[in-house]
Amino acid sequence: MTWWAIALPLMVAVAAVLVPGLAIGRLTALRGPTLWGLAPALSMTALAVLTLGYGVLHVPWNPLSVVIGFAVLIGGAWAARLVVQRAAGHRPVARAMVRAPRGGTRSLLAGTGLAFLLIGFRLAAAFGAPDHVSQTFDAIFHLNGVRYILTTGDIDPLTFSSISYRYDGQGAFYPNLWHALASFVTASSGGNIAVGANAVAIAIGGVVWPLSILFLVRALVGDRRLAMITAGIVASGFGAFPLLPLDFGVLYPNLLAIALVPAALGALVAALRRGRQPALRPLAAWVAFAAVLPGLALAQPNGLISVLVLGAPLYFVELWRWWNALRQRSAPRRDYLRGGAAFAGVAVVLVILFLVLRPPRAAAGWKPTLSLPAAVLDALVNAQMIVPAIALSVLVFAGIASAFVARRGRWVVASLGVLDLFYLAVASLPVGGWRFWVTGTWYSDIRRLIALFPVVEVPLAVLGVLWAGDLASAAWRRWRPGTPGRRAIRTVAVLAVAALVGGLAPQLGGSLAHEWRKAASNYRVTPESRLITPNALALLRRVPKEVPRDAIIAGNPWTGTS
């Protein structure tokens, strides 16, 4: 099968992750890079609403019903805007926004386009062919989950866990947002599940992830074109994401959830007024933050918990800022009591969510793999993927230094510290006990935690590149002073070189190449393949010609029958 076969499914997948969110966001007054950065997360929330609604109402899931559902939700957003405008005395809803500079959208889309090319090429090379499937254990469930939806039209996430509810009545909740998206793309573009799944993977890795992470970077550094280009290159230089979830597992739901995490963090940064050049006023940012959470939770609940964990330092920043403000104005005791009760209430809710939204202990049986010293060393040099990522580690350390020297993004350093502690726990502590309470949300699986590192390391690497470029530019101006025009040209040239070198360095490292080769081995159809061999594939291709359509075939899933 040639790669042209994936063109239509990929276009449908990109449209599915962008168009609903762009329409809903535009009608609710989002503009510019904020609209594009939040569009995939809003699309997934719209998809989540449809899966829950159609599941409860027993509406069959097919392309027509999905398009109609999206149209209804978009119409609802338009109606809500009219109601808000009328309540506000017909004032434009866009006044709830802080308009971004005109060039912000072009910069964000340029960085995203660059990441799409780099990531899309690597994923396509890893897949080998558009119809190759992942030769892994979880692929059996996920791809058959898509088949179940296509066959029955049943999309209910409350009964999806066994993908046989229509036949045996046995089912429980399973976050099936990825399956909803993959089934829609497959049914809308030709019906080949393998091609549809790979198209959705490229759309998530090459569109959702870059838009989301660039939105977070923009919240931290503001509208800097070089930051967007650098972020696009760096975001495609990690073996941990998006390659790792497509290699191990295969973890399609985690792939989708992690790709959405930066968008939620970016909205949270705007809501707490911790970013630069905010594109959202606080109230609008809180609404946006709340709006992206349903899609994140139904993609994979640990994505929601990841936002709470990585955003936890912001909670303590706000707590300190509140306490300091009360002290400076000698506030009365009742103000301390009221604010303290509010912060305590939020803390209780967050702790409950962290402890409740997790799989049972029996599902978190992954064993430790390293000693504590070895885990510490691996965390320092980004060697969680076996091969150290030296270039990325240098950029991240530069970003950490920049965060403290330039006093920006220090909470991201704390988030990385929290993630490192969780990594050390799952890598070195014995099964159960404290290890489960800390890392059970991610099944105490080291790979699911490793995949989260780029969420915080991409912003830090960008901060490091920008800081190095700024220092180099300042040194150049002192060393070779000239006319203002020449100084500006030299400054831009130095910054461009810093961004290019800093961004491309991870692309040339051994860590990314190692993970790419490892992922590619799981998609190759060879006589030694774990799931389906060339002979088994040839047999399956004969089945439609030789077996009646209503026949029931039983077999061992590990022989490829699944």
Side-chain angles (χ1 to χ4, degrees):
M1 180 178 286
T2 68
W3 278 103
W4 286 110
I6 206 172
L8 179 58
L10 182 57
M11 287 189 288
V12 174
V14 172
V17 300
L18 284 182
V19 173
L22 288 174
I24 293 171
R26 186 69 173 78
L27 289 171
T28 52
L30 296 181
R31 298 292 185 272
T34 302
L35 172 62
W36 284 93
L38 290 176
L42 293 175
S43 293
M44 292 304 99
T45 287
L47 198 67
V49 170
L50 291 185
T51 61
L52 288 169
Y54 285 9
V56 171
L57 299 175
H58 302 293
V59 176
W61 189 262
N62 55 59
L64 179 60
S65 67
V66 174
V67 171
I68 292 174
F70 279 142
V72 170
L73 292 176
I74 292 169
W78 177 71
R81 173 175 179 161
L82 293 180
V83 170
V84 172
Q85 278 186 331
R86 180 168 297 180
H90 297 282
R91 287 178 296 177
V93 177
R95 289 183 181 176
M97 300 288 298
V98 177
R99 288 189 177 275
R102 192 173 181 180
T105 301
R106 291 193 293 268
S107 301
L108 183 135
L109 293 181
T112 300
L114 188 55
F116 175 79
L117 292 176
L118 293 170
I119 293 173
F121 174 79
R122 285 198 178 273
L123 292 185
F127 297 153
D131 59 343
H132 281 182
V133 300
S134 173
Q135 304 266 355
T136 54
F137 182 79
D138 288 29
I140 298 172
F141 172 83
H142 294 311
L143 299 183
N144 278 280
V146 176
R147 170 58 66 197
Y148 171 78
I149 296 170
L150 294 175
T151 302
T152 66
D154 180 13
I155 195 61
D156 192 353
L158 302 178
T159 59
F160 193 75
S161 63
S162 69
I163 62 172
S164 59
Y165 180 74
R166 283 292 180 92
Y167 309 109
D168 58 19
Q170 304 295 316
F173 171 77
Y174 187 89
N176 65 347
L177 201 60
W178 179 89
H179 308 82
L181 179 61
S183 61
F184 170 73
V185 171
T186 299
S188 303
S189 58
N192 188 310
I193 293 176
V195 176
N198 290 336
V200 170
I202 293 174
I204 294 171
V207 177
V208 178
W209 163 245
L211 282 175
S212 186
I213 193 68
L214 264 66
F215 175 67
L216 175 59
V217 169
R218 183 182 176 279
L220 292 173
V221 303
D223 283 311
R224 297 189 63 172
R225 295 180 182 179
L226 288 174
M228 295 294 96
I229 299 300
T230 303
I233 301 174
V234 173
S236 59
F238 282 83
F241 192 85
L243 273 172
L244 180 58
L246 292 169
D247 164 29
F248 171 77
V250 59
L251 305 178
Y252 288 127
N254 283 268
L255 174 75
L256 178 56
I258 293 173
L260 297 172
V261 166
L265 285 174
L268 182 61
V269 169
L272 295 173
R273 306 183 301 282
R274 304 306 304 171
R276 298 195 173 208
Q277 296 176 311
L280 288 167
R281 297 190 189 277
L283 178 59
W286 280 116
V287 173
F289 177 67
V292 304
L293 294 184
L296 190 59
L298 228 61
Q300 170 54 257
N302 65 34
L304 175 61
I305 299 303
S306 298
V307 171
L308 301 182
V309 168
L310 298 180
L314 286 169
Y315 170 88
F316 292 101
V317 169
E318 289 302 303
L319 180 61
W320 169 252
R321 188 164 67 174
W322 164 78
W323 179 269
N324 206 32
L326 291 184
R327 289 180 57 192
Q328 288 181 355
R329 64 183 178 88
S330 301
R333 181 177 299 178
R334 65 175 179 274
D335 288 353
Y336 283 92
L337 293 176
R338 290 172 183 170
F343 274 100
V346 171
V348 169
V349 171
L350 296 181
V351 170
I352 291 175
L353 288 174
F354 180 75
L355 295 178
V356 171
L357 292 181
R358 59 176 59 206
R361 185 185 292 261
W366 297 96
K367 296 180 180 179
T369 56
L370 298 168
S371 65
L372 182 58
V376 170
L377 180 60
D378 283 358
L380 288 174
V381 295
N382 275 283
Q384 302 97 330
M385 306 306 305
I386 301 176
V387 178
I390 301 300
L392 281 172
S393 300
V394 170
L395 295 179
V396 170
F397 277 115
I400 292 172
S402 167
F404 288 100
V405 173
R407 300 176 65 85
R408 61 181 180 184
R410 285 175 291 181
W411 69 268
V412 186
V413 180
S415 297
L416 177 60
V418 172
L419 196 54
D420 277 325
L421 289 176
F422 282 28
Y423 170 75
L424 296 180
V426 77
S428 60
L429 292 182
V431 174
W434 175 248
R435 183 175 184 263
F436 172 75
W437 289 114
V438 173
T439 65
T441 301
W442 300 271
Y443 296 86
S444 294
D445 174 24
I446 195 169
R447 296 168 186 85
R448 286 173 169 86
L449 280 170
I450 289 173
L452 277 171
F453 274 87
V455 173
V456 289
E457 290 191 334
V458 169
L460 287 174
V462 172
L463 286 175
V465 170
L466 294 181
W467 186 51
D470 290 340
L471 292 176
S473 177
W476 182 287
R477 288 195 299 270
R478 286 194 299 268
W479 179 48
R480 300 292 295 272
T483 63
R486 290 181 179 177
R487 285 202 303 268
I489 293 173
R490 290 166 181 168
T491 298
V492 171
V494 170
L495 290 174
V497 170
L500 188 63
V501 172
L504 288 179
Q507 298 286 336
L508 306 175
S511 178
L512 182 59
H514 169 81
E515 180 54 32
W516 171 78
R517 288 191 295 268
K518 197 157 141 309
S521 67
N522 279 329
Y523 286 85
R524 296 296 180 264
V525 181
T526 69
E528 291 75 35
S529 296
R530 292 187 297 171
L531 182 59
I532 187 166
T533 63
N535 287 340
L537 187 59
L539 174 63
L540 291 177
R541 286 172 175 164
R542 285 171 44 200
V543 168
K545 300 177 182 177
E546 302 185 19
V547 178
R549 290 181 60 86
D550 59 350
I552 296 175
I553 301 176
N556 179 351
W558 274 117
T559 64
T561 56
S562 58

